[in-house]
Amino acid sequence: TLLTKGFNVAKNSAAQAWRPLATLLAVIVALGVWSYLGPIHSPKLGLDLRGGTQVTLTPKVSDGTITDDQLKQAVDIIRQRVNGLGVSEAEVSTQGQGNSAAILVSVPGVSEQGIADVLKQTAKLAFRPVEELAAGTPASTTTATPSGSATATASATPSASASAADKVYAPFESDSNDAALQAAFANIDCTDPAVRQGGVPDDPTKWVVTCSKDGFSKYLLQPAFIEGTSIDNASAGVPQGGTTWLVTLDFDSEGTQKLADASTLLYKQTSPKNQFAIVLDGLVSSSPYFSEPILGGQAQITGTFTQQEATDLANILKYGALPLTLDIAEVTSLSPTLGQDQLDAGLLAGALGLLLVVVYLLLYYRVLGLVAVFSLVVAAIITYLAFIVLGGQLGFSLTLAGVAGAIVAVGITADSFVVYFERIRDEIREGKALKAAINAGWDRARRTILVADFVSLLAAAVLWWLSIGSVRGFAFTLGLTTLIDIAVAFLFTRPLVVLFGRNKWFSSGASMTGLDPKRLGVTSIAVPHARSTFAESKGE
């Protein structure tokens, strides 16, 4: 009866060993399908492998705390400015929070000096009287309704000197309202995103043809009557007893006088000439109209604003210039050739290191070492698929630092195998049968594995929190591969060793198994009797 029970429990334990293997296989298949159906089918490479420039900006802190709104507004302005360079796949993101935050600007294919010059400039905000207004399509006579409750119709005829095939980019400047400016206004196509990239500070003393940020409208604008430096404060809110959102502006003394003069002149005009455009970096953010002269230095912009729209407009007015003083902490410029050479060298070093690890495992652990090799292969497959999925879904880019993190993780993963295998050997030296040694060895090894991996995760988290730039790529990859190591150890290595332990030849302790009694310093591997088989299987 005991033998029968022992066989049944052992049979059930074998089934339990297959379950985690099936689970891991399902995960790999799911990642494979996800990567196949996703937007990319290979890991997304960072700029150090593609070539370009990476700039790390750090805020200069004097008093107070940097807010998330300030960081968001700075990122929006910088992104618009970088997009104005006409490059694709530019990335502007924040790292960290508060006073320890940094802004990372990554631009492929732009020279180091070019991007540095762009980022050193201060975004310009200006208020310009509207001369003409039309829908964003070329040579249109369609009515356009800008934000700020103003409606106008404009008709334009292309100049003979302007071809319909010519592309006009915003902002287009001229010293006067001449034929070239009129032709540009007629031909500009604001519905084309390339036309309204913005990011180019306009000259406040010149006439301008430009677009609204959404591309629905195009404008012919007079020289600016107020620049953004004259705004003391801007806030969004709902007036007492009101229901609609508005934006309140406060001007300094110089701005107060200029606003009074401009509003006194413009409010008498017919639409659209009673409107003024709020222009940030060459694009129109809003175009309200004057309903009366504004003499006290405080104005309100009303319209059909949502809370978010009013808040965004207030931020543009308040932070027309960058809301933070930013220092260029680091500028890194790499050519694709240099990045590829470094990648090749890193992969070669990783391959040699991996080969040495595999040779050591096979020579020292023999067949048991095959389990480690298979585990490394599985971990590599999962890591590669994870890079593809994260690149497509979250924009994760694999950098040289990330490659280094993945190579370091090979040692961490191999260390988990060594800990487990040595625990099994220790249990055999104490006289336990192989199956019991596999169970007891795992009970002791898994705590060590989890503690070691926790230390690696903690180190990765600290690096991620405190570092900026490419070091974060190393930290992220190290943390990701450490989690994969835990999954492989529990869902693949452990079940595979259990299945190997059920093999009669492997249980014999032959020299090629890696459990040769002579090498372990014992006379033989203990063979359990019926009662111990039941107990060990039950524990399994």
Short mmCIF file of all heavy atoms in Angstrom, two decimals, residues 216-275:
data_model
loop_
_atom_site.label_atom_id
_atom_site.label_comp_id
_atom_site.label_asym_id
_atom_site.label_seq_id
_atom_site.Cartn_x
_atom_site.Cartn_y
_atom_site.Cartn_z
N PHE A 216 -6.35 74.16 -37.98
CA PHE A 216 -7.66 74.49 -38.54
C PHE A 216 -7.70 75.88 -39.16
O PHE A 216 -8.54 76.15 -40.02
CB PHE A 216 -8.74 74.40 -37.46
CG PHE A 216 -9.01 73.00 -36.99
CD1 PHE A 216 -9.56 72.76 -35.74
CD2 PHE A 216 -8.71 71.91 -37.79
CE1 PHE A 216 -9.82 71.46 -35.30
CE2 PHE A 216 -8.96 70.62 -37.37
CZ PHE A 216 -9.52 70.39 -36.12
N SER A 217 -6.83 76.77 -38.71
CA SER A 217 -6.87 78.16 -39.18
C SER A 217 -5.49 78.63 -39.58
O SER A 217 -4.47 78.12 -39.09
CB SER A 217 -7.43 79.07 -38.07
OG SER A 217 -8.69 78.65 -37.64
N LYS A 218 -5.47 79.62 -40.49
CA LYS A 218 -4.22 80.29 -40.84
C LYS A 218 -4.41 81.79 -40.64
O LYS A 218 -5.52 82.32 -40.76
CB LYS A 218 -3.80 79.97 -42.27
CG LYS A 218 -4.79 80.38 -43.34
CD LYS A 218 -4.29 79.95 -44.72
CE LYS A 218 -5.28 80.30 -45.82
NZ LYS A 218 -4.80 79.87 -47.16
N TYR A 219 -3.31 82.47 -40.33
CA TYR A 219 -3.37 83.87 -39.93
C TYR A 219 -2.34 84.69 -40.70
O TYR A 219 -1.23 84.22 -40.98
CB TYR A 219 -3.07 84.02 -38.45
CG TYR A 219 -4.07 83.38 -37.53
CD1 TYR A 219 -4.00 82.03 -37.23
CD2 TYR A 219 -5.07 84.14 -36.92
CE1 TYR A 219 -4.92 81.43 -36.36
CE2 TYR A 219 -5.98 83.56 -36.05
CZ TYR A 219 -5.91 82.21 -35.78
OH TYR A 219 -6.81 81.64 -34.92
N LEU A 220 -2.75 85.92 -41.00
CA LEU A 220 -1.81 86.95 -41.42
C LEU A 220 -1.80 87.97 -40.30
O LEU A 220 -2.83 88.60 -40.01
CB LEU A 220 -2.23 87.57 -42.74
CG LEU A 220 -1.17 88.43 -43.48
CD1 LEU A 220 -1.49 88.53 -44.96
CD2 LEU A 220 -1.06 89.83 -42.89
N LEU A 221 -0.64 88.15 -39.67
CA LEU A 221 -0.56 88.91 -38.42
C LEU A 221 0.36 90.12 -38.56
O LEU A 221 1.38 90.08 -39.25
CB LEU A 221 -0.04 88.01 -37.29
CG LEU A 221 -0.81 86.72 -37.05
CD1 LEU A 221 -0.11 85.89 -35.97
CD2 LEU A 221 -2.25 87.03 -36.63
N GLN A 222 -0.04 91.20 -37.89
CA GLN A 222 0.77 92.41 -37.83
C GLN A 222 1.91 92.23 -36.82
O GLN A 222 1.93 91.26 -36.05
CB GLN A 222 -0.10 93.60 -37.42
CG GLN A 222 -1.24 93.90 -38.37
CD GLN A 222 -2.09 95.05 -37.88
OE1 GLN A 222 -1.63 95.90 -37.10
NE2 GLN A 222 -3.35 95.10 -38.34
N PRO A 223 2.87 93.16 -36.81
CA PRO A 223 3.92 93.09 -35.78
C PRO A 223 3.33 93.09 -34.38
O PRO A 223 2.23 93.61 -34.13
CB PRO A 223 4.75 94.37 -36.05
CG PRO A 223 4.54 94.63 -37.51
CD PRO A 223 3.11 94.22 -37.80
N ALA A 224 4.06 92.52 -33.44
CA ALA A 224 3.55 92.34 -32.08
C ALA A 224 3.43 93.68 -31.35
O ALA A 224 4.25 94.58 -31.54
CB ALA A 224 4.48 91.42 -31.30
N PHE A 225 2.37 93.79 -30.53
CA PHE A 225 2.23 94.98 -29.70
C PHE A 225 2.63 94.69 -28.25
O PHE A 225 2.87 95.63 -27.48
CB PHE A 225 0.80 95.55 -29.77
CG PHE A 225 -0.28 94.63 -29.29
CD1 PHE A 225 -0.64 94.58 -27.95
CD2 PHE A 225 -0.97 93.82 -30.19
CE1 PHE A 225 -1.66 93.75 -27.52
CE2 PHE A 225 -1.98 92.99 -29.76
CZ PHE A 225 -2.33 92.94 -28.42
N ILE A 226 2.68 93.41 -27.86
CA ILE A 226 3.16 93.03 -26.51
C ILE A 226 3.92 91.73 -26.65
O ILE A 226 3.49 90.82 -27.37
CB ILE A 226 2.00 92.85 -25.51
CG1 ILE A 226 1.29 94.17 -25.23
CG2 ILE A 226 2.53 92.29 -24.18
CD1 ILE A 226 0.14 94.04 -24.25
N GLU A 227 5.04 91.63 -25.95
CA GLU A 227 5.77 90.37 -25.88
C GLU A 227 5.50 89.69 -24.54
O GLU A 227 5.06 90.32 -23.57
CB GLU A 227 7.26 90.61 -26.08
CG GLU A 227 7.59 91.14 -27.48
CD GLU A 227 9.08 91.21 -27.72
OE1 GLU A 227 9.77 90.18 -27.49
OE2 GLU A 227 9.56 92.28 -28.14
N GLY A 228 5.78 88.40 -24.49
CA GLY A 228 5.44 87.61 -23.30
C GLY A 228 6.13 88.05 -22.03
O GLY A 228 5.66 87.77 -20.93
N THR A 229 7.25 88.75 -22.16
CA THR A 229 7.96 89.20 -20.96
C THR A 229 7.18 90.24 -20.17
O THR A 229 7.52 90.53 -19.02
CB THR A 229 9.32 89.79 -21.38
OG1 THR A 229 9.12 90.78 -22.40
CG2 THR A 229 10.24 88.71 -21.92
N SER A 230 6.13 90.81 -20.77
CA SER A 230 5.33 91.83 -20.08
C SER A 230 4.22 91.21 -19.23
O SER A 230 3.50 91.95 -18.54
CB SER A 230 4.71 92.80 -21.09
OG SER A 230 5.71 93.54 -21.76
N ILE A 231 4.03 89.90 -19.28
CA ILE A 231 2.98 89.24 -18.50
C ILE A 231 3.54 88.89 -17.13
O ILE A 231 4.54 88.19 -17.00
CB ILE A 231 2.48 87.97 -19.21
CG1 ILE A 231 1.85 88.33 -20.55
CG2 ILE A 231 1.48 87.23 -18.33
CD1 ILE A 231 1.38 87.14 -21.34
N ASP A 232 2.88 89.39 -16.08
CA ASP A 232 3.28 89.07 -14.71
C ASP A 232 2.72 87.73 -14.26
O ASP A 232 3.39 86.96 -13.58
CB ASP A 232 2.82 90.17 -13.75
CG ASP A 232 3.80 91.33 -13.70
OD1 ASP A 232 4.95 91.14 -14.17
OD2 ASP A 232 3.41 92.42 -13.23
N ASN A 233 1.46 87.47 -14.63
CA ASN A 233 0.83 86.25 -14.15
C ASN A 233 -0.35 85.90 -15.06
O ASN A 233 -0.92 86.77 -15.73
CB ASN A 233 0.34 86.41 -12.70
CG ASN A 233 -0.06 85.10 -12.07
OD1 ASN A 233 0.42 84.04 -12.46
ND2 ASN A 233 -0.94 85.15 -11.10
N ALA A 234 -0.70 84.62 -15.08
CA ALA A 234 -1.86 84.14 -15.82
C ALA A 234 -2.44 82.97 -15.05
O ALA A 234 -1.70 82.12 -14.54
CB ALA A 234 -1.48 83.73 -17.23
N SER A 235 -3.77 82.91 -14.97
CA SER A 235 -4.41 81.82 -14.23
C SER A 235 -5.73 81.47 -14.88
O SER A 235 -6.38 82.32 -15.51
CB SER A 235 -4.64 82.22 -12.76
OG SER A 235 -5.45 83.37 -12.67
N ALA A 236 -6.11 80.20 -14.73
CA ALA A 236 -7.39 79.72 -15.26
C ALA A 236 -8.36 79.55 -14.10
O ALA A 236 -7.98 79.15 -12.99
CB ALA A 236 -7.20 78.39 -15.98
N GLY A 237 -9.63 79.84 -14.34
CA GLY A 237 -10.62 79.69 -13.29
C GLY A 237 -12.02 79.96 -13.79
O GLY A 237 -12.23 80.32 -14.95
N VAL A 238 -12.98 79.79 -12.88
CA VAL A 238 -14.39 80.07 -13.16
C VAL A 238 -14.80 81.25 -12.28
O VAL A 238 -14.61 81.20 -11.06
CB VAL A 238 -15.28 78.85 -12.85
CG1 VAL A 238 -16.75 79.18 -13.11
CG2 VAL A 238 -14.85 77.66 -13.68
N PRO A 239 -15.30 82.34 -12.86
CA PRO A 239 -15.68 83.51 -12.04
C PRO A 239 -16.81 83.17 -11.08
O PRO A 239 -17.59 82.23 -11.30
CB PRO A 239 -16.11 84.54 -13.09
CG PRO A 239 -16.51 83.74 -14.28
CD PRO A 239 -15.60 82.54 -14.27
N GLN A 240 -16.88 83.92 -10.00
CA GLN A 240 -17.91 83.67 -9.00
C GLN A 240 -19.30 83.84 -9.63
O GLN A 240 -19.60 84.84 -10.25
CB GLN A 240 -17.75 84.65 -7.84
CG GLN A 240 -18.70 84.37 -6.67
CD GLN A 240 -18.39 85.28 -5.48
OE1 GLN A 240 -17.55 86.16 -5.56
NE2 GLN A 240 -19.08 85.06 -4.38
N GLY A 241 -20.09 82.80 -9.48
CA GLY A 241 -21.42 82.80 -10.06
C GLY A 241 -21.46 82.39 -11.51
O GLY A 241 -22.53 82.30 -12.11
N GLY A 242 -20.28 82.12 -12.11
CA GLY A 242 -20.22 81.74 -13.50
C GLY A 242 -20.18 80.23 -13.68
O GLY A 242 -20.10 79.47 -12.72
N THR A 243 -20.20 79.81 -14.93
CA THR A 243 -20.18 78.37 -15.23
C THR A 243 -19.12 77.99 -16.25
O THR A 243 -18.86 76.82 -16.45
CB THR A 243 -21.56 77.93 -15.76
OG1 THR A 243 -21.88 78.69 -16.93
CG2 THR A 243 -22.64 78.12 -14.71
N THR A 244 -18.53 79.00 -16.92
CA THR A 244 -17.56 78.70 -17.97
C THR A 244 -16.16 79.11 -17.52
O THR A 244 -15.99 80.08 -16.77
CB THR A 244 -17.91 79.43 -19.27
OG1 THR A 244 -17.97 80.83 -19.03
CG2 THR A 244 -19.26 78.96 -19.80
N TRP A 245 -15.18 78.40 -18.03
CA TRP A 245 -13.80 78.67 -17.68
C TRP A 245 -13.26 79.85 -18.48
O TRP A 245 -13.63 80.06 -19.64
CB TRP A 245 -12.93 77.44 -17.95
CG TRP A 245 -13.10 76.39 -16.89
CD1 TRP A 245 -14.08 75.45 -16.82
CD2 TRP A 245 -12.27 76.20 -15.76
NE1 TRP A 245 -13.92 74.68 -15.69
CE2 TRP A 245 -12.79 75.11 -15.02
CE3 TRP A 245 -11.12 76.83 -15.28
CZ2 TRP A 245 -12.22 74.66 -13.84
CZ3 TRP A 245 -10.53 76.37 -14.11
CH2 TRP A 245 -11.09 75.30 -13.40
N LEU A 246 -12.38 80.64 -17.85
CA LEU A 246 -11.73 81.76 -18.51
C LEU A 246 -10.29 81.87 -18.00
O LEU A 246 -9.89 81.21 -17.05
CB LEU A 246 -12.49 83.06 -18.27
CG LEU A 246 -12.81 83.46 -16.82
CD1 LEU A 246 -11.62 84.11 -16.13
CD2 LEU A 246 -14.00 84.42 -16.79
N VAL A 247 -9.52 82.72 -18.69
CA VAL A 247 -8.12 82.93 -18.33
C VAL A 247 -7.93 84.39 -17.96
O VAL A 247 -8.33 85.29 -18.72
CB VAL A 247 -7.19 82.55 -19.49
CG1 VAL A 247 -5.73 82.83 -19.12
CG2 VAL A 247 -7.37 81.08 -19.86
N THR A 248 -7.34 84.63 -16.80
CA THR A 248 -7.09 85.99 -16.32
C THR A 248 -5.61 86.32 -16.47
O THR A 248 -4.74 85.52 -16.11
CB THR A 248 -7.49 86.12 -14.85
OG1 THR A 248 -8.88 85.79 -14.71
CG2 THR A 248 -7.25 87.54 -14.35
N LEU A 249 -5.32 87.54 -17.00
CA LEU A 249 -3.95 87.98 -17.24
C LEU A 249 -3.65 89.22 -16.43
O LEU A 249 -4.50 90.10 -16.28
CB LEU A 249 -3.74 88.30 -18.72
CG LEU A 249 -4.04 87.22 -19.76
CD1 LEU A 249 -3.84 87.77 -21.16
CD2 LEU A 249 -3.13 86.04 -19.53
N ASP A 250 -2.43 89.28 -15.90
CA ASP A 250 -1.93 90.48 -15.22
C ASP A 250 -0.65 90.92 -15.94
O ASP A 250 0.26 90.10 -16.16
CB ASP A 250 -1.63 90.20 -13.75
CG ASP A 250 -2.89 89.92 -12.95
OD1 ASP A 250 -3.84 90.69 -13.09
OD2 ASP A 250 -2.90 88.93 -12.20
N PHE A 251 -0.58 92.23 -16.29
CA PHE A 251 0.57 92.76 -17.03
C PHE A 251 1.38 93.70 -16.14
O PHE A 251 0.86 94.29 -15.17
CB PHE A 251 0.10 93.52 -18.27
CG PHE A 251 -0.54 92.65 -19.31
CD1 PHE A 251 -1.88 92.32 -19.24
CD2 PHE A 251 0.21 92.16 -20.37
CE1 PHE A 251 -2.47 91.51 -20.21
CE2 PHE A 251 -0.37 91.35 -21.33
CZ PHE A 251 -1.71 91.02 -21.26
N ASP A 252 2.66 93.86 -16.50
CA ASP A 252 3.48 94.85 -15.80
C ASP A 252 3.14 96.24 -16.31
O ASP A 252 2.25 96.41 -17.16
CB ASP A 252 4.97 94.52 -15.97
CG ASP A 252 5.43 94.52 -17.43
OD1 ASP A 252 4.70 95.07 -18.28
OD2 ASP A 252 6.50 93.96 -17.71
N SER A 253 3.82 97.25 -15.82
CA SER A 253 3.47 98.63 -16.17
C SER A 253 3.63 98.91 -17.66
O SER A 253 2.78 99.56 -18.29
CB SER A 253 4.34 99.59 -15.36
OG SER A 253 5.72 99.33 -15.58
N GLU A 254 4.71 98.40 -18.25
CA GLU A 254 4.92 98.61 -19.69
C GLU A 254 3.86 97.87 -20.49
O GLU A 254 3.28 98.44 -21.44
CB GLU A 254 6.31 98.13 -20.08
CG GLU A 254 6.63 98.33 -21.55
CD GLU A 254 8.00 97.80 -21.93
OE1 GLU A 254 8.71 97.30 -21.04
OE2 GLU A 254 8.36 97.90 -23.12
N GLY A 255 3.56 96.64 -20.10
CA GLY A 255 2.54 95.88 -20.79
C GLY A 255 1.16 96.48 -20.63
O GLY A 255 0.33 96.42 -21.55
N THR A 256 0.88 97.07 -19.46
CA THR A 256 -0.42 97.70 -19.21
C THR A 256 -0.66 98.83 -20.20
O THR A 256 -1.75 98.96 -20.77
CB THR A 256 -0.48 98.22 -17.77
OG1 THR A 256 -0.38 97.12 -16.87
CG2 THR A 256 -1.78 98.96 -17.52
N GLN A 257 0.38 99.66 -20.42
CA GLN A 257 0.22 100.79 -21.33
C GLN A 257 0.05 100.32 -22.77
O GLN A 257 -0.81 100.81 -23.52
CB GLN A 257 1.44 101.71 -21.22
CG GLN A 257 1.33 102.97 -22.06
CD GLN A 257 0.12 103.82 -21.69
OE1 GLN A 257 -0.10 104.13 -20.52
NE2 GLN A 257 -0.70 104.21 -22.68
N LYS A 258 0.84 99.34 -23.18
CA LYS A 258 0.74 98.83 -24.55
C LYS A 258 -0.60 98.14 -24.78
O LYS A 258 -1.20 98.27 -25.86
CB LYS A 258 1.88 97.85 -24.82
CG LYS A 258 3.25 98.50 -24.90
CD LYS A 258 4.32 97.47 -25.20
CE LYS A 258 5.69 98.13 -25.33
NZ LYS A 258 6.76 97.14 -25.61
N LEU A 259 -1.09 97.42 -23.76
CA LEU A 259 -2.39 96.77 -23.89
C LEU A 259 -3.51 97.79 -24.01
O LEU A 259 -4.46 97.62 -24.79
CB LEU A 259 -2.63 95.86 -22.69
CG LEU A 259 -3.94 95.08 -22.69
CD1 LEU A 259 -3.96 94.07 -23.83
CD2 LEU A 259 -4.14 94.35 -21.35
N ALA A 260 -3.41 98.85 -23.24
CA ALA A 260 -4.43 99.90 -23.31
C ALA A 260 -4.46 100.54 -24.69
O ALA A 260 -5.53 100.76 -25.28
CB ALA A 260 -4.16 100.95 -22.24
N ASP A 261 -3.28 100.84 -25.23
CA ASP A 261 -3.22 101.46 -26.56
C ASP A 261 -3.77 100.52 -27.63
O ASP A 261 -4.55 100.94 -28.50
CB ASP A 261 -1.77 101.83 -26.89
CG ASP A 261 -1.21 102.91 -25.97
OD1 ASP A 261 -2.02 103.60 -25.32
OD2 ASP A 261 0.04 103.02 -25.88
N ALA A 262 -3.36 99.24 -27.60
CA ALA A 262 -3.79 98.30 -28.64
C ALA A 262 -5.27 98.01 -28.54
O ALA A 262 -5.98 97.98 -29.56
CB ALA A 262 -2.99 97.00 -28.51
N SER A 263 -5.79 97.82 -27.33
CA SER A 263 -7.21 97.48 -27.18
C SER A 263 -8.10 98.66 -27.57
O SER A 263 -9.18 98.47 -28.14
CB SER A 263 -7.50 97.04 -25.75
OG SER A 263 -7.19 98.07 -24.82
N THR A 264 -7.66 99.87 -27.27
CA THR A 264 -8.43 101.06 -27.64
C THR A 264 -8.54 101.17 -29.16
O THR A 264 -9.57 101.58 -29.69
CB THR A 264 -7.77 102.31 -27.06
OG1 THR A 264 -7.71 102.21 -25.64
CG2 THR A 264 -8.55 103.57 -27.45
N LEU A 265 -7.50 100.76 -29.85
CA LEU A 265 -7.50 100.84 -31.30
C LEU A 265 -8.25 99.68 -31.95
O LEU A 265 -9.02 99.86 -32.90
CB LEU A 265 -6.06 100.87 -31.81
CG LEU A 265 -5.85 100.87 -33.33
CD1 LEU A 265 -6.42 102.17 -33.93
CD2 LEU A 265 -4.37 100.73 -33.67
N LEU A 266 -8.09 98.48 -31.40
CA LEU A 266 -8.59 97.29 -32.08
C LEU A 266 -10.06 96.99 -31.80
O LEU A 266 -10.75 96.40 -32.65
CB LEU A 266 -7.75 96.06 -31.70
CG LEU A 266 -6.29 96.08 -32.15
CD1 LEU A 266 -5.56 94.83 -31.65
CD2 LEU A 266 -6.19 96.16 -33.67
N TYR A 267 -10.58 97.36 -30.63
CA TYR A 267 -11.93 96.91 -30.29
C TYR A 267 -12.99 97.53 -31.21
O TYR A 267 -14.09 97.00 -31.36
CB TYR A 267 -12.23 97.20 -28.82
CG TYR A 267 -12.92 98.51 -28.54
CD1 TYR A 267 -14.30 98.57 -28.36
CD2 TYR A 267 -12.19 99.70 -28.45
CE1 TYR A 267 -14.94 99.79 -28.10
CE2 TYR A 267 -12.81 100.89 -28.19
CZ TYR A 267 -14.19 100.94 -28.02
OH TYR A 267 -14.81 102.13 -27.77
N LYS A 268 -12.63 98.64 -31.87
CA LYS A 268 -13.57 99.30 -32.79
C LYS A 268 -13.58 98.63 -34.16
O LYS A 268 -14.48 98.91 -34.97
CB LYS A 268 -13.18 100.77 -32.95
CG LYS A 268 -13.19 101.57 -31.67
CD LYS A 268 -12.70 102.99 -31.93
CE LYS A 268 -12.62 103.82 -30.65
NZ LYS A 268 -12.12 105.19 -30.91
N GLN A 269 -12.58 97.80 -34.43
CA GLN A 269 -12.46 97.20 -35.76
C GLN A 269 -13.50 96.08 -35.95
O GLN A 269 -14.03 95.52 -34.99
CB GLN A 269 -11.06 96.62 -35.95
CG GLN A 269 -9.94 97.63 -35.73
CD GLN A 269 -9.89 98.71 -36.77
OE1 GLN A 269 -10.17 98.45 -37.95
NE2 GLN A 269 -9.57 99.92 -36.36
N THR A 270 -13.75 95.79 -37.21
CA THR A 270 -14.63 94.65 -37.52
C THR A 270 -13.81 93.37 -37.51
O THR A 270 -12.58 93.37 -37.69
CB THR A 270 -15.28 94.82 -38.90
OG1 THR A 270 -14.27 94.94 -39.89
CG2 THR A 270 -16.16 96.06 -38.90
N SER A 271 -14.51 92.25 -37.32
CA SER A 271 -13.83 90.95 -37.27
C SER A 271 -13.23 90.63 -38.65
O SER A 271 -13.86 90.92 -39.68
CB SER A 271 -14.85 89.87 -36.89
OG SER A 271 -14.24 88.62 -36.83
N PRO A 272 -12.03 90.10 -38.74
CA PRO A 272 -11.19 89.60 -37.65
C PRO A 272 -10.20 90.60 -37.10
O PRO A 272 -9.35 90.25 -36.29
CB PRO A 272 -10.46 88.45 -38.33
CG PRO A 272 -10.22 88.95 -39.72
CD PRO A 272 -11.46 89.73 -40.06
N LYS A 273 -10.29 91.87 -37.53
CA LYS A 273 -9.27 92.83 -37.13
C LYS A 273 -9.42 93.32 -35.69
O LYS A 273 -8.60 94.10 -35.22
CB LYS A 273 -9.25 94.02 -38.10
CG LYS A 273 -8.78 93.64 -39.49
CD LYS A 273 -8.61 94.85 -40.39
CE LYS A 273 -8.05 94.46 -41.76
NZ LYS A 273 -7.82 95.62 -42.64
N ASN A 274 -10.51 92.88 -35.03
CA ASN A 274 -10.62 93.19 -33.60
C ASN A 274 -10.01 92.08 -32.73
O ASN A 274 -10.09 92.11 -31.52
CB ASN A 274 -12.08 93.41 -33.20
CG ASN A 274 -12.92 92.15 -33.38
OD1 ASN A 274 -12.50 91.22 -34.10
ND2 ASN A 274 -14.08 92.10 -32.74
N GLN A 275 -9.39 91.13 -33.38
CA GLN A 275 -8.77 90.00 -32.67
C GLN A 275 -7.27 90.20 -32.53
O GLN A 275 -6.66 90.96 -33.30
CB GLN A 275 -9.03 88.69 -33.41
CG GLN A 275 -10.49 88.30 -33.48
CD GLN A 275 -10.69 87.08 -34.35
OE1 GLN A 275 -11.55 87.05 -35.23
NE2 GLN A 275 -9.89 86.04 -34.11
#
